[in-house]
Amino acid sequence: MKKSSFVILLFIITIVSLSVAQGVVSNKLSTKGVILHEIEKKVYDYKTQNSILSEEILYNSSLTNLASKAAELGFGKLREQFVLNSGSSLAVKP
């Protein structure tokens, strides 16, 4: 009789301690879920900003954009032809 009451008491203590442990773990996980959601939201925002910045870099480094900015600053193709005419030939005929 003493042995059966000891086993029942051991089961009750085990059940109570596991229930308390489950409550503690659930409480910890519920607060971590909110923090995890905020972190995932920040990661998504950073990925969005990263893709926008990479598109801006690609646009600003494109040749058409560089050519238009160079034209605005006054750089461009020189329309005048430059020709040298000299009286003597450069090669000597034998």
Side-chain angles (χ1 to χ4, degrees):
M1 186 79 160
K2 277 191 166 197
K3 196 171 196 180
S4 64
S5 64
F6 177 71
V7 171
I8 291 173
L9 183 63
L10 183 65
F11 283 148
I12 290 173
I13 291 173
T14 304
I15 290 171
V16 169
S17 63
L18 289 176
S19 296
V20 169
Q22 182 183 9
V24 169
V25 170
S26 295
N27 190 23
K28 294 272 186 191
L29 287 178
S30 66
T31 57
K32 301 261 183 191
V34 174
I35 295 170
L36 181 64
H37 176 69
E38 291 175 3
I39 291 172
E40 287 176 348
K41 185 178 176 184
K42 285 182 181 180
V43 167
Y44 177 75
D45 291 340
Y46 288 139
K47 284 183 180 180
T48 305
Q49 289 176 0
N50 193 18
S51 65
I52 290 171
L53 289 174
S54 66
E55 287 179 13
E56 287 181 13
I57 288 172
L58 291 174
Y59 173 73
N60 288 331
S61 64
S62 69
L63 292 177
T64 55
N65 186 36
L66 291 175
S68 65
K69 285 185 179 180
E72 288 175 5
L73 293 173
F75 295 99
K77 293 182 180 179
L78 189 59
R79 301 283 181 206
E80 300 174 6
Q81 292 183 354
F82 184 71
V83 179
L84 289 176
N85 288 330
S86 63
S88 62
S89 63
L90 296 174
V92 178
K93 292 183 181 179

Coordinates of all heavy atoms in Angstrom, one line a residue:
M1 N 0.8 -1.2 0.0 CA 0.0 0.0 0.0 C 0.9 1.3 0.0 O 0.5 2.2 -0.7 CB -0.9 0.0 1.2 CG -1.9 1.0 1.3 SD -3.2 0.6 0.2 CE -4.5 1.6 0.8
K2 N 1.9 1.2 0.8 CA 2.8 2.4 0.8 C 3.5 2.6 -0.5 O 3.7 3.7 -0.9 CB 3.9 2.2 1.9 CG 3.4 2.5 3.3 CD 4.6 2.6 4.1 CE 4.2 3.2 5.4 NZ 5.4 3.7 6.2
K3 N 3.8 1.5 -1.2 CA 4.5 1.6 -2.5 C 3.6 2.2 -3.5 O 4.0 3.0 -4.3 CB 5.0 0.2 -2.9 CG 6.0 0.2 -4.0 CD 6.6 -1.1 -4.2 CE 7.8 -1.0 -5.0 NZ 8.5 -2.3 -5.2
S4 N 2.3 1.8 -3.5 CA 1.4 2.4 -4.5 C 1.1 3.8 -4.3 O 0.9 4.6 -5.2 CB 0.1 1.5 -4.6 OG -0.6 1.7 -3.3
S5 N 1.0 4.2 -3.0 CA 0.7 5.7 -2.7 C 2.0 6.5 -3.1 O 1.9 7.6 -3.5 CB 0.4 5.8 -1.3 OG 1.4 5.4 -0.4
F6 N 3.2 5.9 -2.9 CA 4.4 6.6 -3.3 C 4.5 6.8 -4.8 O 4.8 7.9 -5.3 CB 5.6 5.8 -2.8 CG 6.9 6.4 -3.2 CD1 7.4 7.6 -2.6 CD2 7.7 5.8 -4.2 CE1 8.6 8.1 -3.0 CE2 8.9 6.4 -4.6 CZ 9.3 7.5 -4.0
V7 N 4.1 5.8 -5.6 CA 4.1 5.9 -7.0 C 3.1 6.9 -7.5 O 3.3 7.7 -8.4 CB 3.8 4.5 -7.6 CG1 3.6 4.6 -9.2 CG2 4.9 3.5 -7.4
I8 N 1.9 6.9 -6.9 CA 0.9 7.9 -7.3 C 1.3 9.3 -6.9 O 1.2 10.3 -7.7 CB -0.5 7.6 -6.5 CG1 -1.1 6.3 -7.1 CG2 -1.5 8.7 -6.7 CD1 -2.3 5.8 -6.4
L9 N 1.9 9.5 -5.8 CA 2.5 10.8 -5.4 C 3.6 11.2 -6.3 O 3.7 12.4 -6.7 CB 3.0 10.7 -3.9 CG 3.5 12.1 -3.4 CD1 2.4 13.1 -3.3 CD2 4.1 11.8 -2.0
L10 N 4.4 10.3 -6.7 CA 5.5 10.6 -7.7 C 4.9 11.0 -9.1 O 5.4 12.0 -9.7 CB 6.4 9.4 -7.9 CG 7.6 9.5 -8.8 CD1 8.6 10.6 -8.2 CD2 8.3 8.2 -9.0
F11 N 3.9 10.3 -9.5 CA 3.2 10.7 -10.8 C 2.6 12.1 -10.7 O 2.7 12.9 -11.6 CB 2.1 9.7 -11.2 CG 2.7 8.4 -11.7 CD1 2.0 7.2 -11.5 CD2 3.8 8.4 -12.5 CE1 2.5 6.0 -12.1 CE2 4.3 7.2 -13.0 CZ 3.6 6.0 -12.8
I12 N 2.0 12.4 -9.6 CA 1.3 13.7 -9.4 C 2.4 14.8 -9.4 O 2.2 15.9 -10.0 CB 0.5 13.7 -8.1 CG1 -0.7 12.9 -8.3 CG2 0.1 15.2 -7.8 CD1 -1.6 12.7 -7.0
I13 N 3.5 14.6 -8.7 CA 4.6 15.6 -8.7 C 5.2 15.8 -10.1 O 5.5 16.9 -10.5 CB 5.6 15.2 -7.6 CG1 5.1 15.3 -6.2 CG2 6.9 16.0 -7.8 CD1 6.0 14.7 -5.1
T14 N 5.3 14.7 -10.8 CA 5.9 14.7 -12.1 C 4.9 15.5 -13.0 O 5.4 16.4 -13.8 CB 6.1 13.3 -12.7 OG1 6.9 12.6 -11.8 CG2 6.7 13.4 -14.1
I15 N 3.6 15.3 -13.0 CA 2.7 15.9 -13.8 C 2.6 17.4 -13.5 O 2.6 18.3 -14.4 CB 1.3 15.3 -13.6 CG1 1.2 13.9 -14.3 CG2 0.2 16.2 -14.3 CD1 0.0 13.1 -14.0
V16 N 2.7 17.8 -12.2 CA 2.7 19.2 -11.8 C 3.9 19.9 -12.3 O 3.9 21.0 -12.8 CB 2.5 19.3 -10.3 CG1 2.7 20.8 -9.9 CG2 1.1 18.9 -9.9
S17 N 5.1 19.3 -12.1 CA 6.3 19.9 -12.5 C 6.4 20.0 -14.0 O 6.9 21.1 -14.5 CB 7.5 19.1 -12.0 OG 7.6 17.8 -12.5
L18 N 5.9 19.1 -14.8 CA 5.9 19.2 -16.3 C 5.0 20.2 -16.7 O 5.2 20.9 -17.7 CB 5.6 17.8 -16.9 CG 6.7 16.8 -16.8 CD1 6.3 15.4 -17.4 CD2 8.0 17.2 -17.5
S19 N 3.8 20.4 -16.0 CA 2.9 21.4 -16.4 C 3.5 22.8 -16.2 O 3.3 23.7 -17.0 CB 1.6 21.2 -15.6 OG 1.0 20.0 -15.9
V20 N 4.1 23.0 -15.1 CA 4.8 24.3 -14.8 C 5.9 24.5 -15.8 O 6.0 25.6 -16.3 CB 5.4 24.3 -13.3 CG1 6.3 25.5 -13.1 CG2 4.2 24.2 -12.3
A21 N 6.7 23.5 -16.2 CA 7.7 23.7 -17.2 C 7.1 24.0 -18.5 O 7.7 24.9 -19.2 CB 8.5 22.4 -17.3
Q22 N 6.0 23.4 -18.9 CA 5.4 23.7 -20.2 C 4.9 25.2 -20.2 O 5.0 25.9 -21.2 CB 4.2 22.8 -20.4 CG 3.5 23.0 -21.7 CD 2.3 22.1 -21.9 OE1 1.9 21.4 -21.0 NE2 1.7 22.2 -23.1
G23 N 4.3 25.6 -19.1 CA 3.9 27.0 -19.0 C 5.0 28.0 -19.1 O 4.9 29.0 -19.8
V24 N 6.1 27.7 -18.5 CA 7.3 28.6 -18.6 C 7.8 28.7 -20.0 O 8.1 29.7 -20.5 CB 8.4 28.2 -17.6 CG1 9.7 28.9 -17.8 CG2 7.9 28.4 -16.1
V25 N 8.0 27.5 -20.6 CA 8.5 27.4 -22.0 C 7.5 28.1 -22.9 O 7.9 28.9 -23.8 CB 8.7 26.0 -22.4 CG1 9.0 25.9 -23.9 CG2 9.9 25.4 -21.6
S26 N 6.2 27.9 -22.8 CA 5.3 28.6 -23.7 C 5.3 30.1 -23.5 O 5.2 30.8 -24.5 CB 3.8 28.1 -23.3 OG 3.7 26.7 -23.6
N27 N 5.5 30.6 -22.3 CA 5.6 32.0 -22.1 C 6.8 32.6 -22.7 O 6.8 33.6 -23.3 CB 5.6 32.3 -20.6 CG 5.5 33.8 -20.3 OD1 4.9 34.5 -21.1 ND2 5.9 34.2 -19.1
K28 N 7.9 31.9 -22.6 CA 9.2 32.3 -23.3 C 9.0 32.4 -24.8 O 9.5 33.3 -25.4 CB 10.4 31.4 -22.9 CG 10.7 31.5 -21.4 CD 11.7 32.5 -21.2 CE 12.2 32.4 -19.7 NZ 12.9 33.5 -19.3
L29 N 8.4 31.3 -25.3 CA 8.3 31.3 -26.8 C 7.3 32.3 -27.3 O 7.5 32.8 -28.4 CB 7.8 29.9 -27.2 CG 8.8 28.8 -27.1 CD1 8.2 27.4 -27.5 CD2 10.0 29.1 -28.0
S30 N 6.3 32.6 -26.5 CA 5.3 33.6 -27.0 C 5.9 35.0 -27.1 O 5.6 35.8 -28.0 CB 4.1 33.6 -26.1 OG 4.4 34.1 -24.8
T31 N 6.8 35.4 -26.2 CA 7.5 36.7 -26.3 C 8.5 36.6 -27.4 O 8.8 37.6 -28.0 CB 8.1 37.1 -24.9 OG1 9.0 36.0 -24.5 CG2 7.0 37.2 -23.9
K32 N 9.2 35.5 -27.6 CA 10.2 35.4 -28.6 C 9.5 35.5 -30.0 O 10.2 36.0 -31.0 CB 10.9 34.1 -28.5 CG 11.7 33.9 -27.2 CD 13.1 34.2 -27.3 CE 13.7 33.9 -26.0 NZ 15.0 34.4 -25.8
G33 N 8.3 35.1 -30.1 CA 7.6 35.2 -31.4 C 7.4 36.6 -31.9 O 7.5 36.9 -33.1
V34 N 7.1 37.5 -31.0 CA 6.9 38.9 -31.3 C 8.2 39.5 -31.7 O 8.3 40.2 -32.7 CB 6.3 39.7 -30.1 CG1 6.3 41.1 -30.4 CG2 4.9 39.1 -29.7
I35 N 9.3 39.2 -31.0 CA 10.6 39.7 -31.4 C 11.0 39.1 -32.7 O 11.6 39.8 -33.6 CB 11.6 39.3 -30.3 CG1 11.3 40.0 -29.0 CG2 13.0 39.7 -30.7 CD1 12.1 39.6 -27.8
L36 N 10.8 37.8 -33.0 CA 11.1 37.2 -34.2 C 10.4 37.9 -35.4 O 10.9 38.1 -36.5 CB 10.8 35.7 -34.2 CG 11.2 34.9 -35.4 CD1 12.7 34.9 -35.7 CD2 10.7 33.5 -35.3
H37 N 9.1 38.2 -35.2 CA 8.3 38.9 -36.2 C 8.9 40.2 -36.5 O 9.0 40.6 -37.7 CB 6.9 39.0 -35.8 CG 6.0 39.8 -36.7 ND1 5.7 39.3 -38.0 CD2 5.5 41.0 -36.6 CE1 4.9 40.2 -38.6 NE2 4.8 41.2 -37.8
E38 N 9.3 41.0 -35.5 CA 9.9 42.3 -35.7 C 11.3 42.2 -36.5 O 11.5 43.0 -37.4 CB 10.2 43.0 -34.4 CG 8.9 43.4 -33.7 CD 9.1 44.0 -32.3 OE1 10.3 44.2 -31.9 OE2 8.2 44.4 -31.7
I39 N 12.0 41.2 -36.2 CA 13.3 40.9 -36.9 C 13.1 40.6 -38.3 O 13.7 41.1 -39.2 CB 14.1 39.9 -36.1 CG1 14.6 40.4 -34.8 CG2 15.3 39.4 -37.0 CD1 15.3 39.4 -33.9
E40 N 12.1 39.7 -38.6 CA 11.8 39.3 -40.0 C 11.3 40.5 -40.7 O 11.6 40.7 -41.9 CB 10.7 38.2 -40.0 CG 11.3 36.9 -39.6 CD 10.2 35.8 -39.5 OE1 9.0 36.1 -39.5 OE2 10.6 34.6 -39.4
K41 N 10.5 41.4 -40.1 CA 10.0 42.6 -40.8 C 11.2 43.5 -41.1 O 11.2 44.1 -42.2 CB 9.0 43.3 -39.9 CG 8.4 44.5 -40.5 CD 7.4 45.2 -39.6 CE 6.8 46.4 -40.2 NZ 5.9 47.1 -39.2
K42 N 12.1 43.7 -40.2 CA 13.3 44.5 -40.5 C 14.1 43.9 -41.7 O 14.6 44.6 -42.5 CB 14.2 44.7 -39.3 CG 13.6 45.6 -38.3 CD 14.6 45.8 -37.1 CE 14.0 46.7 -36.0 NZ 14.9 46.8 -34.9
V43 N 14.3 42.6 -41.7 CA 15.0 41.9 -42.7 C 14.4 42.1 -44.1 O 15.0 42.4 -45.1 CB 15.2 40.4 -42.4 CG1 15.7 39.6 -43.6 CG2 16.1 40.2 -41.2
Y44 N 13.0 42.0 -44.1 CA 12.3 42.3 -45.3 C 12.5 43.7 -45.8 O 12.7 44.0 -47.0 CB 10.8 42.0 -45.1 CG 10.0 42.3 -46.3 CD1 10.0 41.4 -47.4 CD2 9.2 43.4 -46.4 CE1 9.2 41.7 -48.5 CE2 8.4 43.7 -47.5 CZ 8.4 42.8 -48.6 OH 7.7 43.1 -49.7
D45 N 12.4 44.7 -44.9 CA 12.6 46.1 -45.2 C 14.0 46.3 -45.8 O 14.2 47.0 -46.7 CB 12.4 47.0 -44.0 CG 10.9 47.0 -43.6 OD1 10.1 46.7 -44.4 OD2 10.7 47.4 -42.4
Y46 N 15.0 45.7 -45.1 CA 16.4 45.9 -45.6 C 16.6 45.2 -47.0 O 17.3 45.8 -47.8 CB 17.4 45.3 -44.6 CG 17.6 46.1 -43.3 CD1 17.7 45.4 -42.1 CD2 17.6 47.4 -43.4 CE1 17.9 46.2 -41.0 CE2 17.8 48.2 -42.2 CZ 17.9 47.6 -41.0 OH 18.0 48.3 -39.9
K47 N 16.0 44.1 -47.2 CA 16.1 43.5 -48.6 C 15.4 44.4 -49.6 O 15.9 44.5 -50.7 CB 15.4 42.1 -48.5 CG 16.3 41.0 -47.9 CD 15.6 39.7 -48.0 CE 16.5 38.6 -47.3 NZ 15.9 37.3 -47.4
T48 N 14.3 45.0 -49.3 CA 13.6 45.9 -50.2 C 14.5 47.1 -50.5 O 14.7 47.5 -51.7 CB 12.3 46.3 -49.6 OG1 11.5 45.2 -49.3 CG2 11.5 47.2 -50.6
Q49 N 15.1 47.7 -49.5 CA 16.0 48.8 -49.7 C 17.2 48.4 -50.5 O 17.7 49.2 -51.3 CB 16.4 49.4 -48.3 CG 15.3 50.1 -47.6 CD 15.8 50.6 -46.2 OE1 16.9 50.4 -45.8 NE2 14.9 51.3 -45.5
N50 N 17.7 47.2 -50.2 CA 18.9 46.8 -50.9 C 18.6 46.6 -52.4 O 19.4 47.0 -53.3 CB 19.4 45.4 -50.3 CG 20.7 45.1 -50.8 OD1 21.5 45.9 -51.3 ND2 21.0 43.8 -50.7
S51 N 17.4 46.1 -52.8 CA 17.1 45.9 -54.2 C 16.9 47.3 -54.8 O 17.3 47.5 -56.0 CB 15.9 45.0 -54.3 OG 14.7 45.6 -53.8
I52 N 16.3 48.2 -54.1 CA 16.1 49.6 -54.7 C 17.4 50.2 -54.9 O 17.7 50.8 -56.0 CB 15.2 50.4 -53.7 CG1 13.7 49.9 -53.7 CG2 15.2 51.9 -54.1 CD1 12.9 50.5 -52.7
L53 N 18.3 50.1 -54.0 CA 19.7 50.7 -54.1 C 20.5 50.1 -55.2 O 21.2 50.8 -56.0 CB 20.4 50.6 -52.8 CG 19.9 51.6 -51.7 CD1 20.7 51.3 -50.4 CD2 20.1 53.0 -52.1
S54 N 20.3 48.8 -55.4 CA 21.0 48.1 -56.5 C 20.5 48.5 -57.9 O 21.3 48.7 -58.8 CB 21.0 46.6 -56.3 OG 19.7 46.1 -56.5
E55 N 19.2 48.8 -57.9 CA 18.6 49.3 -59.2 C 19.1 50.7 -59.5 O 19.4 51.1 -60.6 CB 17.1 49.3 -59.1 CG 16.5 47.9 -59.2 CD 15.0 47.9 -59.1 OE1 14.4 49.0 -59.2 OE2 14.4 46.8 -59.0
E56 N 19.2 51.5 -58.4 CA 19.7 52.9 -58.6 C 21.2 52.9 -59.1 O 21.6 53.6 -59.9 CB 19.6 53.7 -57.3 CG 18.2 54.1 -57.0 CD 18.1 54.9 -55.7 OE1 19.2 55.3 -55.2 OE2 17.0 55.1 -55.2
I57 N 22.0 51.9 -58.5 CA 23.4 51.8 -58.9 C 23.5 51.4 -60.4 O 24.3 52.0 -61.1 CB 24.1 50.8 -58.0 CG1 24.3 51.4 -56.6 CG2 25.5 50.4 -58.6 CD1 24.9 50.5 -55.6
L58 N 22.6 50.4 -60.8 CA 22.7 50.0 -62.1 C 22.2 51.1 -63.1 O 22.8 51.3 -64.2 CB 21.8 48.8 -62.3 CG 22.3 47.5 -61.7 CD1 21.2 46.4 -61.8 CD2 23.6 47.0 -62.3
Y59 N 21.2 51.9 -62.7 CA 20.8 53.0 -63.5 C 21.8 54.1 -63.7 O 22.1 54.6 -64.7 CB 19.5 53.6 -63.0 CG 19.1 54.8 -63.7 CD1 18.5 54.8 -65.0 CD2 19.2 56.1 -63.1 CE1 18.1 55.9 -65.7 CE2 18.9 57.2 -63.8 CZ 18.3 57.1 -65.1 OH 18.0 58.3 -65.8
N60 N 22.4 54.4 -62.5 CA 23.4 55.5 -62.5 C 24.7 55.1 -63.3 O 25.5 55.9 -63.7 CB 23.8 56.0 -61.1 CG 22.6 56.8 -60.5 OD1 21.9 57.4 -61.2 ND2 22.5 56.7 -59.2
S61 N 25.0 53.8 -63.3 CA 26.2 53.4 -64.0 C 26.0 52.9 -65.5 O 26.9 52.5 -66.1 CB 26.9 52.2 -63.2 OG 26.0 51.1 -63.2
S62 N 24.7 53.1 -65.9 CA 24.5 52.7 -67.3 C 25.1 53.7 -68.3 O 25.3 54.9 -68.0 CB 22.9 52.6 -67.6 OG 22.4 53.9 -67.5
L63 N 25.4 53.2 -69.5 CA 26.1 54.1 -70.5 C 25.2 55.2 -71.0 O 25.7 56.3 -71.2 CB 26.6 53.2 -71.6 CG 27.7 52.2 -71.3 CD1 28.0 51.4 -72.5 CD2 28.9 53.0 -70.8
T64 N 23.9 54.9 -71.1 CA 23.0 56.0 -71.6 C 22.9 57.1 -70.5 O 22.9 58.3 -70.9 CB 21.6 55.5 -71.9 OG1 21.1 54.8 -70.7 CG2 21.6 54.5 -73.0
N65 N 22.8 56.8 -69.3 CA 22.8 57.8 -68.2 C 24.1 58.6 -68.2 O 24.1 59.8 -68.0 CB 22.5 57.1 -66.9 CG 22.3 58.2 -65.8 OD1 21.7 59.2 -66.0 ND2 22.8 57.9 -64.6
L66 N 25.2 57.9 -68.3 CA 26.5 58.6 -68.3 C 26.7 59.5 -69.5 O 27.2 60.6 -69.4 CB 27.6 57.6 -68.2 CG 27.8 56.8 -66.9 CD1 28.9 55.7 -67.1 CD2 28.1 57.7 -65.8
A67 N 26.2 59.0 -70.6 CA 26.3 59.9 -71.8 C 25.4 61.1 -71.7 O 25.8 62.2 -72.1 CB 25.8 59.1 -73.1
S68 N 24.2 61.0 -71.1 CA 23.3 62.2 -71.0 C 23.9 63.1 -70.0 O 23.8 64.4 -70.2 CB 21.9 61.7 -70.6 OG 21.9 61.1 -69.3
K69 N 24.5 62.6 -68.9 CA 25.1 63.5 -67.9 C 26.3 64.2 -68.5 O 26.6 65.4 -68.2 CB 25.5 62.7 -66.6 CG 24.3 62.4 -65.8 CD 24.7 61.8 -64.5 CE 23.5 61.5 -63.7 NZ 23.8 60.8 -62.4
A70 N 27.1 63.5 -69.3 CA 28.3 64.1 -70.0 C 27.8 65.2 -70.9 O 28.5 66.2 -71.0 CB 29.1 63.0 -70.7
A71 N 26.7 65.0 -71.6 CA 26.2 66.0 -72.5 C 25.8 67.2 -71.8 O 26.0 68.4 -72.2 CB 25.1 65.4 -73.4
E72 N 25.1 67.0 -70.6 CA 24.7 68.1 -69.8 C 25.9 69.0 -69.3 O 25.8 70.2 -69.2 CB 23.9 67.6 -68.6 CG 22.5 67.1 -69.0 CD 21.8 66.5 -67.7 OE1 22.4 66.6 -66.6 OE2 20.7 66.0 -67.9
L73 N 27.0 68.3 -69.0 CA 28.2 69.0 -68.5 C 29.0 69.6 -69.6 O 30.0 70.3 -69.3 CB 29.0 68.0 -67.7 CG 28.4 67.6 -66.4 CD1 29.2 66.5 -65.7 CD2 28.2 68.7 -65.4
G74 N 28.7 69.4 -70.9 CA 29.4 70.0 -72.0 C 30.4 69.1 -72.7 O 31.1 69.4 -73.6
F75 N 30.5 67.8 -72.2 CA 31.4 66.9 -72.9 C 30.6 66.3 -74.1 O 29.4 66.1 -74.0 CB 31.8 65.7 -72.0 CG 32.6 66.2 -70.8 CD1 32.1 66.4 -69.6 CD2 34.0 66.4 -71.0 CE1 32.8 66.8 -68.5 CE2 34.8 66.8 -69.9 CZ 34.2 67.0 -68.7
G76 N 31.3 66.1 -75.1 CA 30.6 65.5 -76.3 C 31.6 65.2 -77.4 O 32.8 65.4 -77.3
K77 N 31.0 64.8 -78.5 CA 31.9 64.5 -79.7 C 32.3 65.8 -80.3 O 31.6 66.8 -80.4 CB 31.1 63.7 -80.7 CG 30.8 62.3 -80.2 CD 30.1 61.5 -81.3 CE 29.8 60.1 -80.8 NZ 29.1 59.3 -81.8
L78 N 33.6 65.8 -80.7 CA 34.1 67.0 -81.3 C 33.7 67.0 -82.8 O 34.0 66.0 -83.5 CB 35.7 67.0 -81.2 CG 36.4 68.3 -81.6 CD1 35.9 69.5 -80.8 CD2 37.9 68.1 -81.4
R79 N 33.0 68.0 -83.3 CA 32.5 68.0 -84.6 C 33.5 68.5 -85.7 O 33.4 68.2 -86.8 CB 31.3 68.9 -84.7 CG 30.2 68.5 -83.8 CD 29.4 67.3 -84.3 NE 28.3 66.9 -83.4 CZ 27.8 65.7 -83.3 NH1 28.3 64.8 -84.1 NH2 26.9 65.5 -82.5
E80 N 34.6 69.2 -85.3 CA 35.5 69.7 -86.2 C 36.5 68.6 -86.5 O 36.9 67.8 -85.7 CB 36.3 70.9 -85.6 CG 35.4 72.0 -85.2 CD 36.2 73.1 -84.5 OE1 37.4 73.0 -84.3 OE2 35.5 74.0 -84.0
Q81 N 37.0 68.6 -87.8 CA 38.0 67.6 -88.2 C 39.4 68.3 -88.1 O 39.5 69.5 -88.4 CB 37.8 67.2 -89.6 CG 36.5 66.3 -89.8 CD 36.4 65.8 -91.2 OE1 37.1 66.2 -92.1 NE2 35.4 65.0 -91.4
F82 N 40.3 67.5 -87.6 CA 41.7 68.0 -87.4 C 42.6 67.3 -88.4 O 42.8 66.1 -88.3 CB 42.1 67.8 -86.0 CG 43.4 68.3 -85.7 CD1 43.6 69.7 -85.6 CD2 44.5 67.5 -85.4 CE1 44.8 70.2 -85.2 CE2 45.7 68.0 -85.1 CZ 45.9 69.4 -85.0
V83 N 43.2 68.1 -89.4 CA 44.0 67.5 -90.4 C 45.3 68.2 -90.4 O 45.4 69.4 -90.4 CB 43.3 67.6 -91.8 CG1 44.2 67.0 -92.9 CG2 41.9 66.9 -91.8
L84 N 46.4 67.4 -90.5 CA 47.7 67.9 -90.7 C 48.2 67.7 -92.1 O 48.2 66.6 -92.6 CB 48.7 67.2 -89.7 CG 48.6 67.5 -88.2 CD1 49.5 66.7 -87.4 CD2 48.8 69.0 -87.9
N85 N 48.6 68.8 -92.7 CA 49.2 68.7 -94.0 C 50.6 69.3 -93.9 O 50.9 70.4 -93.5 CB 48.4 69.6 -95.0 CG 47.1 69.0 -95.4 OD1 46.9 67.8 -95.4 ND2 46.1 69.8 -95.7
S86 N 51.5 68.4 -94.3 CA 52.9 68.9 -94.3 C 53.4 68.8 -95.7 O 53.0 68.0 -96.5 CB 53.7 68.0 -93.3 OG 53.8 66.7 -93.8
G87 N 54.4 69.7 -96.0 CA 55.0 69.7 -97.3 C 55.9 68.5 -97.6 O 56.0 68.1 -98.8
S88 N 56.5 68.0 -96.6 CA 57.4 66.9 -96.9 C 56.8 65.5 -96.5 O 56.0 65.5 -95.5 CB 58.7 67.1 -96.1 OG 58.5 67.1 -94.8
S89 N 57.1 64.5 -97.2 CA 56.6 63.2 -96.9 C 57.4 62.6 -95.7 O 58.5 62.9 -95.5 CB 56.6 62.3 -98.1 OG 57.9 62.1 -98.5
L90 N 56.7 61.7 -95.1 CA 57.4 61.1 -93.9 C 58.2 59.9 -94.3 O 59.2 59.6 -93.7 CB 56.3 60.7 -92.9 CG 55.5 61.8 -92.2 CD1 54.5 61.3 -91.3 CD2 56.5 62.7 -91.5
A91 N 57.8 59.2 -95.4 CA 58.5 58.1 -95.8 C 59.5 58.5 -96.9 O 59.2 59.3 -97.7 CB 57.6 57.0 -96.4
V92 N 60.7 57.9 -96.9 CA 61.7 58.2 -97.9 C 61.6 57.1 -99.0 O 61.7 55.9 -98.7 CB 63.1 58.2 -97.3 CG1 64.1 58.5 -98.3 CG2 63.1 59.2 -96.1
K93 N 61.6 57.6 -100.3 CA 61.5 56.7 -101.4 C 62.9 56.3 -101.8 O 63.8 57.1 -101.9 CB 60.8 57.3 -102.6 CG 59.3 57.5 -102.3 CD 58.6 58.1 -103.5 CE 57.2 58.3 -103.2 NZ 56.5 58.8 -104.4
P94 N 63.2 55.0 -102.1 CA 64.6 54.7 -102.5 C 64.9 55.0 -103.9 O 64.3 55.2 -104.8 CB 64.6 53.2 -102.2 CG 63.2 52.7 -102.1 CD 62.4 53.9 -101.8

